[in-house]
Amino acid sequence: MEVLPPPIIPNVRDMATNGARCEQPQRRAAPKDKQNGESTVDSSVKERRLKEKEERLSLVLWRRPVTTLHYFLLETLIKLKEWTFQLWERRGAVFLVFVICSLFSIAYSTEGSHQMFVQYVEKKFLWCAYWVGLGILSSVGLGTGLHTFLLYLGPHIASVTLAAYECGSTDFPEPPYPDQIMCPQGGGMGGSVSLLSIMSKVRLEACMWGAGTAIGELPPYFMARAARQSGADPEDEDYEEFEEMLEQAESAQDFVTRAKLWVQHMVHRVGFFGILACASIPNPLFDLAGITCGHFLVPFWTFFGATLIGKAIIKMHIQKLFVIMTFSKHIVEHMVSLIGSVPKVGPSLQKPFSQYLEAQRNKLHHAGGSAPTDENWLSWVFEKVVLVMVCYFVISIVNSMAQSYSKRLQQQKHCEEKCK
């Protein structure tokens, strides 16, 4: 049986006050000051931090489920209190949003000729919010991002591409689609479809997803900016790693560290266009760009503007073009024929792929749900992969928030020891 520590529900404002009081003696010097010979954190403090980090990382559902869930609930309560205080501090903006929502609700419930416009706005808003939300989940993650491009946007673009080539047109309904895409009645079967027309068909959802990923890059920026302005010891381990990397820049040897330093140099020295370049290509190190911009106090609109343009426009058009070309009709047919040419196992692997593509073609030509409903094992496997990844994402959030609460307790303990 796992023994729980006594339940502690700290007051948010008391913790903030105590934390600020005890953090003041621990203000970090800037890297240049450290290079000039000022004192650094001694080895005993580093050992203590390493031990505490190992203790926090052991707090996961599959090792300590009861304690992890207990800490997760307490951290959730603290976060709700913090968000309530923040909303109260911005009550003017909250009231404005409330008024706008009330006006829309009145317009939505009142009969009249405006209902067509209201329904159009509602449909577009929900569709855009769906893709923006998936984009945020892909980059913010609270420990690990949900790969929503591979799970949602990529398959959506692929399905629209296959439908466009099969229907010979992109005149099927505008998004949000019905339960499934249908070829238009009397559409030009076998007609040619241009690459640009398919890109235009999925432009809205792709750009909204890219805008969501740009919004998801803001937390590292704000965290690093606040830590630099206050001079306090940062709570984020990525920021601590960033400062250590700056200290050891001259002695960096491994490829990963050199890549991180290149991103940091590009963003810091080049500015807007450096951020734009890093955001415009698939870049797993872009979190470091947000931390770098916050640390060097890059203006918000410089960082967010370059990130938004890079991710929502340039990068999304590159990814969209790649998916559309990959799932164009002749390439898909060529890939299926290549699978069949694999010795021994080729024909058995080719059969389910061919059946799946044929089933998708049949669905495109059967309106009203009269298409065959036989489930292909590829669809079944993909659904289970999505389910597993979503479950892993939820578990990672639970673990991350539990570890965050554990860090609060450790900081509170050190504060009490120093204040005695």
Side-chain angles (χ1 to χ4, degrees):
M1 288 288 294
E2 190 177 356
V3 180
L4 279 172
I8 303 174
I9 305 180
N11 183 282
V12 175
R13 289 184 171 176
D14 290 345
M15 287 190 72
T17 305
N18 293 335
R21 187 183 303 129
C22 296
E23 290 290 348
Q24 287 177 356
Q26 297 181 353
R27 293 184 181 276
R28 283 180 178 245
K32 290 184 178 178
D33 295 334
K34 292 178 182 177
Q35 292 174 3
N36 291 335
E38 291 202 6
S39 60
T40 59
V41 181
D42 56 29
S43 59
S44 62
V45 174
K46 288 186 177 180
E47 289 176 2
R48 173 179 61 79
R49 287 183 175 179
L50 183 61
K51 183 178 179 181
E52 289 176 349
K53 183 178 179 180
E54 292 175 352
E55 181 182 345
R56 290 196 304 272
L57 292 178
S58 68
L59 195 64
V60 289
L61 280 172
W62 49 89
R63 290 183 182 175
R64 300 165 61 187
V66 179
T67 304
T68 302
L69 288 174
H70 179 66
Y71 281 10
F72 165 73
L73 293 174
L74 294 177
E75 179 69 11
T76 302
L77 179 60
I78 292 175
K79 289 293 184 184
L80 290 174
K81 287 182 178 180
E82 290 177 349
W83 293 339
T84 302
F85 291 141
Q86 290 172 4
L87 289 175
W88 177 251
E89 291 172 355
R90 297 168 176 82
R91 49 190 176 273
V94 173
F95 179 74
L96 180 61
V97 172
F98 175 76
V99 170
I100 294 173
C101 292
S102 299
L103 292 175
F104 185 82
S105 177
I106 293 171
Y108 187 81
S109 58
T110 305
E111 296 294 335
S113 57
H114 65 283
Q115 280 297 321
M116 183 179 297
F117 175 74
V118 170
Q119 292 174 4
Y120 174 82
V121 171
E122 178 193 22
K123 184 175 71 170
K124 286 292 184 182
F125 174 79
L126 293 177
W127 183 247
C128 293
Y130 172 75
W131 289 109
V132 169
L134 288 177
I136 293 173
L137 289 176
S138 183
S139 57
V140 71
L142 292 177
T144 179
L146 181 65
H147 302 290
T148 53
F149 182 85
L150 295 177
L151 297 179
Y152 296 97
L153 183 59
H156 172 72
I157 296 174
S159 65
V160 172
T161 303
L162 293 173
Y165 280 106
E166 178 62 23
C167 300
S169 169
T170 57
D171 291 335
F172 38 84
E174 289 292 326
Y177 301 102
D179 293 335
Q180 59 188 24
I181 302 172
M182 296 293 180
C183 288
Q185 293 290 337
M189 298 303 301
S192 61
V193 180
S194 69
L195 191 65
L196 292 177
S197 64
I198 301 176
M199 292 180 68
S200 177
K201 190 70 175 178
V202 294
R203 181 176 293 123
L204 176 65
E205 41 270 58
C207 290
M208 290 299 103
W209 185 88
T213 62
I215 295 172
E217 300 294 349
L218 293 179
Y221 169 83
F222 285 124
M223 175 274 302
R225 186 181 181 88
R228 179 64 185 272
Q229 288 178 331
S230 65
D233 206 11
E235 296 182 2
D236 189 88
E237 290 163 2
D238 290 337
Y239 186 74
E240 293 177 355
E241 181 185 348
F242 169 76
E243 288 204 327
E244 291 175 2
M245 183 190 70
L246 292 182
E247 294 174 24
Q248 302 168 1
E250 298 297 329
S251 59
Q253 297 294 331
D254 60 292
F255 174 77
V256 175
T257 304
R258 288 201 301 268
K260 290 181 178 180
L261 286 170
W262 180 84
V263 171
Q264 182 266 329
H265 177 80
M266 171 76 75
V267 170
H268 181 216
R269 299 294 182 188
V270 184
F272 179 89
F273 292 102
I275 303 168
L276 182 64
C278 291
S280 299
I281 57 175
N283 183 3
L285 301 177
F286 191 78
D287 279 352
L288 184 63
I291 294 175
T292 301
C293 291
H295 178 80
F296 291 107
L297 303 181
V298 173
F300 170 77
W301 286 111
T302 300
F303 169 71
F304 185 66
T307 304
L308 185 64
I309 294 171
K311 286 184 172 288
I313 299 177
I314 302 175
K315 181 182 174 183
M316 275 319 306
H317 277 79
I318 296 172
Q319 292 178 298
K320 185 168 55 172
L321 182 63
F322 174 78
V323 174
I324 292 173
M325 292 180 65
T326 302
F327 285 89
S328 60
K329 187 175 181 179
H330 64 283
I331 292 181
V332 170
E333 292 175 350
H334 183 62
M335 289 172 63
V336 172
S337 65
L338 285 177
I339 292 174
S341 64
V342 177
K344 296 183 180 180
V345 297
S348 58
L349 288 175
Q350 185 186 38
K351 184 178 179 180
F353 282 96
S354 300
Q355 290 176 344
Y356 177 77
L357 291 174
E358 186 62 31
Q360 297 306 308
R361 292 191 186 103
N362 291 336
K363 286 181 181 180
L364 293 171
H365 303 296
H366 289 77
S370 59
T373 57
D374 294 337
E375 186 178 18
N376 186 276
W377 69 268
L378 287 176
S379 302
W380 184 87
V381 168
F382 183 75
E383 289 175 359
K384 297 305 177 284
V385 168
V386 171
L387 179 62
V388 168
M389 293 190 71
V390 170
C391 290
Y392 176 73
F393 177 68
V394 172
I395 290 172
S396 71
I397 290 177
V398 174
N399 292 338
S400 179
M401 293 186 69
Q403 292 165 10
S404 178
Y405 182 79
S406 177
K407 189 166 187 175
R408 287 180 189 271
L409 294 183
Q410 291 170 351
Q411 289 175 339
Q412 190 176 28
K413 179 181 176 181
H414 298 319
C415 180
E416 291 171 354
E417 290 175 354
K418 290 177 182 179
C419 294
K420 284 181 181 179

